[in-house]
Each structure stands twice: as structure tokens, then as C-alpha cells.
Amino acid sequence: MLEEKLKHKMHRPTYLNTLILSFSLIISSGLHHLSFAGSKELKKEALTVIQKKRQLLIEISNSIWEFAEIALLEHKSAELLADTLEKEGFRVKRGVAGLPTAFVASFGLGKPIIGILAEYDALPGLSQENLPYKKALIEGEAGHGCGHNLFAGGSLGAALAVKEVMEKNKLEGTIRLYGCPAEEDVGGKLYMARDGLFDDLDVCLAWHPDYRTKVDVKGSQAIDDMEIEFFGKTSHAAFDPWKGTSALDAVEMTVFGINLLREHVKPSVRMHYVITQGGKVPNIVPEHAELWLWIRDSNRQGVKVVVEKIENIVKGAAIATGTTSKINYKGSYHEMLVNFTGSTAMQKNLEMIGPIEYSEEEIAYAKKIQQETGTEEKGMVCEVKELEKPAKDPEGGSTDVAEVSWIAPTLHVSTTCAPFEIPWHSWAVVAASKHSIGHKGMLLAAKIMAATTIDFILDESLLTEMKKEFKEKLKGYRYKSGIPPGQKPPLRVKKIR
Ligand SMILES: [Zn+2]
């Protein structure tokens, strides 16, 4: 009973509790295994575990780099991660939210419940050898151009380290690693969020490889992802073109409309598209054409305003060309809800652990990549700066991590895993992601997340304060998924080359 009480006290390290605990320990020499190690000590333990498991984490991230599996096809990557977690004592639930390559791995019991996100999908067409110049490993195949193999390894490292510290010090709480597939397409977290997998979290932590190191407080954009189809009638394009109605004409009119609209949207809006279907041959009037379009802005309301205008453009194009139209809403992401209280705690850990040091060979490798991509040869940049100020508009880009940020306070850190300012989603990132420059960033991320998780396990007042900010920012909003209930994730995706 006393032991139970002490355990309970352990994550309330107020002065009073610490005093009671110290007193109890003095009078009870048999309870030495419960000695309150203090957050500094526990963090040190966690960092030692990451250092000890360094080779395992590198091997796993390298294997995922080699698998290079694109969205929803990450079978080997998910299995490797889930198997490793199971071997390390986590309870693993596979195939969650109707996604065969998603999983949730848990360790421990009770509150707080702390989530760590992992991603592992590659990008189509970016196959690249582990070399500082462009050379495909297998022409046309996928590659880790966003460094998600490192993302997986770093998050795994944090979860394993926290688990060991919890076990050794008998700390209460639950650590949960979320295996999140298909970030680059579809958005696995959309389905996981819709199905309530994050609902009981007290806090969630994530990271991403970058060419800078910083706790991210600038947020990300909201986005709507849609496919616009037009259906016309075929005819011979020279013999009887007047009998046909061209779906391609309707796509072209829509594109023209979107490009005129650019003058009348806010500067924060981003609109980009590809024409995925434009007909088969020039001598057949195309009966089917398709446009794949993404609309982004700083928040969901901004996206909604633009999407309504696009819907009118589509209607107009269909009327003008005598075709019919269909819009397939593939999904939408929220903008990131930034939490400064939690981010400040993360920042302190980043400052404590400090920047990465690089060898001359590593800097030379980075500079070669920069030279090959026409980027200024600044090598690796891993300065630890002050936490940034809140931004009115986020930087361009969206992530399904933002979905989680409306369900539980979500913190995000970026660490330097690639040469400064190289083009992202390119061969150059693949070339950095199986190299020691990438591995070092991955281990730094694991350490920052593990240390921050320990803060939340030990300091209940920090959790309370962070939740207060979260609640205030929600302004009564209850998370609503961008995909309808019951809609199943698309289980096969086209291999885009
Ligand atoms: Zn990414």
C-alpha cells in the first residue's frame, strides 16, 4: 500500500511531495528501489539508453530506407517497427483504423498517456544510392526523400528509452508509439484521428528531419485535397468533332479559372495541381479527364472560402463545355494548433542536449550534395536558437500531424538531418537519410523527445498548464475529421513514376 502511494506521488514532484517522499525513504530503507531519481537523472538515463541502442536504431532506419515503401504499401517497414517494439515489451495492435500498415504500441499503465508519432513512407520516383550525387539505386523506384526512415528510427528510440526509464524507476503512466502510415499521400493520421485513436492522450510528440534544428511553433497550413473529374463524349477529332464534348476542354477551363483566381485570393493561399488524365490520343475527343488539386491556407476557414470558388469554376467549366463534373474530396487537414507551454519545455531539452557536431568527412559529404544541387555550400547547420515567436501565417506546407494537434496538445521538433537548404523531397534528402549526417539528427530527435516525455511523466503541473493553453486555443471547437465516418482508406495506391 505504501509502495502504491509512493508510486502515485512520484509524478507529482511538488516540494511537499518530495519532502514526504524523502522522509518515507529515510524511515524505510527497504524502499531504496523507489528512490526519486529527479528529472535530470532520469533524463540522463534515457539519453544513455538511446546511446546504447544507437546501432539498433541506425540499422532499423537503414532497413526502412532500403525498403523505400510508398504510402499504404509500407508493409515491411511497419512490421519491422512493430516486431521490434513487441520484442522490447510493448503491447502492439496492428492494422488499426482500417490501415494494414498502421499500428499502436503501448507500454505501462494509467496516466499520463503520452503519444509519440512515427512515420515511414517513402516518395515515388526518388530512388537514390547512398552517394552525394544523383544516381538512382533502381531507376523509377521510390526513395526516402522526406527522411521518414529517420523519423521512424528517432521516434522508436524515444519510446524505447522512456520505456526503460519507466520500468527501472517504476513510474506510472503510458507511453504509446503510433505507427502512422501514408503521410505523403492519403494521410494515415486522418483515419486514425477519425477513429478516436488519439482521444485519450494527454500530450503527443512528433518530430521531422530537416536542415535546421528547432522546436516548431510556426505551425502548418490547412489543406483540402480533391480530384476533379469531367465526363464528355468521344468522337473523331477530325471527321466529326462537333459530335463530341471534351472532358479535357473542361479541365483546361478549370485550370484557367484557377489561375485567374490567383489574383483574388489572400497571399497566404497556395493552389497547385497536376492533370492526371487528359485523354488517350489526339484523334479521339477525350471523354474523361481529371485534375488533382490541393488548396492550402493558414486555417480551415481560409481553405473553405477558396474551395467554394473552385466549385463554381468547375460548374462553369462543365456548363461551357457540355460535360458533367464530379469532385472527389479526398481529405483535408487542419492547420497545426501550436502549444507554447509544451514547446517551451521541449526547447529547454533541446538546449540541454545541444547541437550536433560533425566530422570533416560529414561536412565534405554535405557540401558535395550542396554543390550537386546548386545550393550554397554551407555544409551542415545545427545551431540551437531561441524559441521562435508566434507567426501570423505558417510556412508553406501541411501535415497530418496537425490533426492530432486538435485532439491533444501536440509538440513538434525538427532536427538537422540533411545539408543546409538542399531541395526537400529530392534525391539529395535520400542521399542524406542513410548517412551518418541523417543518423545524428535522428538520435538528437530521439533524445529531445525522450527528455520531454520524462518532463510530462514527472511534472503534473506542466501537463495542467499545457492543457489549459490547449483548451483556451480550441475555443470550444471539437475535432471533426475531414473524412466522413465509415469512409474506408484507399488500400491500393497508384505507383506514380
Ligand atoms: Zn515528411
Side-chain angles (χ1 to χ4, degrees):
M1 195 60 195
L2 174 64
E3 187 171 312
E4 275 313 304
K5 268 190 189 157
L6 283 176
K7 269 202 244 171
H8 190 64
K9 296 283 184 210
M10 284 190 74
H11 56 88
R12 286 183 179 80
T14 60
Y15 284 120
L16 184 63
N17 286 335
T18 313
L19 272 175
I20 294 169
L21 190 57
S22 315
F23 182 66
S24 308
L25 291 172
I26 291 162
I27 57 166
S28 172
S29 57
L31 289 172
H32 61 276
H33 63 283
L34 281 173
S35 68
F36 184 75
S39 81
K40 240 187 186 168
E41 277 305 306
L42 296 192
K43 285 179 189 177
K44 229 168 106 186
E45 277 179 28
L47 304 196
T48 311
V49 177
I50 292 167
Q51 214 42 42
K52 200 178 73 191
K53 292 195 183 289
R54 194 176 168 273
Q55 210 42 46
L56 172 78
L57 301 172
I58 289 173
E59 275 167 25
I60 286 174
S61 91
N62 285 353
S63 296
I64 296 173
W65 187 94
E66 281 158 22
F67 299 151
E69 297 166 302
I70 61 165
L72 296 178
L73 294 175
E74 318 94 325
H75 297 283
K76 288 191 224 163
S77 309
E79 195 178 284
L80 176 61
L81 290 164
D83 285 353
T84 307
L85 285 151
E86 215 161 51
K87 247 183 257 161
E88 296 272 347
F90 281 73
R91 307 178 294 277
V92 181
K93 226 175 145 190
R94 300 170 196 238
V96 294
L99 296 155
T101 51
F103 65 87
V104 181
S106 312
F107 178 83
L109 282 173
K111 288 275 199 179
I113 307 175
I114 299 166
I116 295 177
L117 307 179
E119 294 173 10
Y120 31 83
D121 58 330
L123 283 158
L126 291 184
S127 173
Q128 165 66 29
E129 285 202 38
N130 196 19
L131 290 170
Y133 51 88
K134 191 170 190 287
K135 187 170 189 276
L137 192 64
I138 310 166
E139 205 58 62
E141 283 303 314
H144 272 286
C146 205
H148 290 184
N149 62 308
L150 299 169
F151 194 152
S155 297
L156 175 71
L160 296 184
V162 173
K163 178 244 166 188
E164 266 202 47
V165 171
M166 285 171 73
E167 209 170 25
K168 197 173 154 208
N169 295 280
K170 302 195 184 322
L171 299 176
E172 268 188 26
T174 307
I175 177 89
R176 232 185 246 163
L177 184 96
Y178 288 88
C180 307
E183 192 276 333
E184 299 290 1
D185 187 11
V186 178
K189 293 177 208 77
L190 265 181
Y191 291 87
M192 296 167 83
R194 182 199 60 184
D195 290 0
L197 297 182
F198 305 107
D199 285 358
D200 59 352
L201 284 184
D202 289 292
V203 56
C204 192
L205 285 85
W207 79 285
H208 202 288
D210 203 302
Y211 48 67
R212 299 157 295 185
T213 293
K214 62 189 179 76
V215 173
D216 298 297
V217 288
K218 288 213 162 145
S220 64
Q221 291 177 302
I223 183 172
D224 268 14
D225 175 354
M226 56 179 88
E227 265 169 4
I228 302 165
E229 286 183 280
F230 288 97
F231 305 92
K233 266 188 271 172
T234 61
S235 68
H236 192 297
F239 179 70
D240 55 0
W242 48 86
K243 289 185 187 160
T245 55
S246 169
L248 178 61
D249 286 353
V251 162
E252 288 187 70
M253 285 187 91
T254 303
V255 162
F256 185 58
I258 291 168
N259 290 329
L260 289 179
L261 182 62
R262 288 190 198 280
E263 196 182 342
H264 308 287
V265 295
K266 291 196 175 153
S268 51
V269 170
R270 298 283 185 280
M271 302 187 279
H272 29 264
Y273 57 81
V274 286
I275 297 173
T276 44
Q277 294 270 349
K280 305 281 184 222
V281 282
N283 67 352
I284 303 175
V285 172
E287 67 173 342
H288 181 240
E290 190 183 79
L291 184 71
W292 186 8
L293 173 68
W294 289 2
I295 305 292
R296 309 186 206 231
D297 200 358
S298 304
N299 54 50
R300 288 235 45 80
Q301 183 52 30
V303 171
K304 193 169 166 259
V305 168
V306 179
V307 167
E308 281 169 7
K309 291 181 197 281
I310 302 276
E311 286 165 345
N312 284 334
I313 291 172
V314 171
K315 272 186 219 159
I319 293 168
T321 54
T323 58
T324 54
S325 64
K326 187 177 167 224
I327 302 180
N328 306 312
Y329 299 92
K330 291 178 71 188
S332 59
Y333 298 171
H334 287 72
E335 68 278 17
M336 184 82 83
L337 189 67
V338 174
N339 189 293
F340 271 88
T341 313
S343 300
T344 304
M346 202 174 217
Q347 172 76 17
K348 280 184 195 154
N349 289 308
L350 165 61
E351 286 170 13
M352 177 190 81
I353 297 160
I356 300 167
E357 282 174 20
Y358 297 99
S359 68
E360 274 176 32
E361 289 81 19
E362 286 168 334
I363 293 165
Y365 186 84
K367 286 188 173 173
K368 175 73 180 153
I369 293 180
Q370 284 161 333
Q371 191 190 81
E372 291 286 321
T373 51
T375 312
E376 200 180 335
E377 290 176 41
K378 287 190 179 166
M380 302 297 290
V381 173
C382 184
E383 296 166 76
V384 176
K385 292 186 184 159
E386 278 178 21
L387 192 64
E388 289 172 322
K389 300 274 172 284
K392 188 181 155 278
D393 294 308
E395 287 180 337
S398 314
T399 168
D400 61 358
V401 173
E403 296 305 288
V404 189
S405 77
W406 291 85
I407 302 169
T410 299
L411 317 175
H412 197 277
V413 62
S414 296
T415 64
T416 305
C417 294
F420 192 58
E421 286 188 331
I422 56 162
W424 212 254
H425 279 198
S426 77
W427 69 266
V429 177
V430 191
S433 298
K434 201 195 176 190
H435 192 272
S436 59
I437 52 175
H439 298 146
K440 284 185 172 179
M442 169 183 85
L443 296 169
L444 174 62
K447 289 174 183 173
I448 297 165
M449 290 197 296
T452 312
T453 303
I454 287 169
D455 280 331
F456 293 126
I457 293 177
L458 295 179
D459 189 351
E460 202 175 82
S461 62
L462 176 63
L463 267 179
T464 309
E465 214 181 303
M466 184 174 59
K467 283 183 185 172
K468 193 174 154 240
E469 181 187 335
F470 175 67
K471 213 175 153 196
E472 279 167 11
K473 285 188 171 163
L474 277 184
K475 293 183 191 136
Y477 173 75
R478 221 183 127 83
Y479 173 76
K480 196 172 167 290
S481 167
I483 42 167
Q487 182 180 302
K488 290 199 172 122
L491 291 185
R492 244 190 271 148
V493 290
K494 290 169 250 175
K495 261 199 159 182
I496 310 157
R497 292 204 167 185

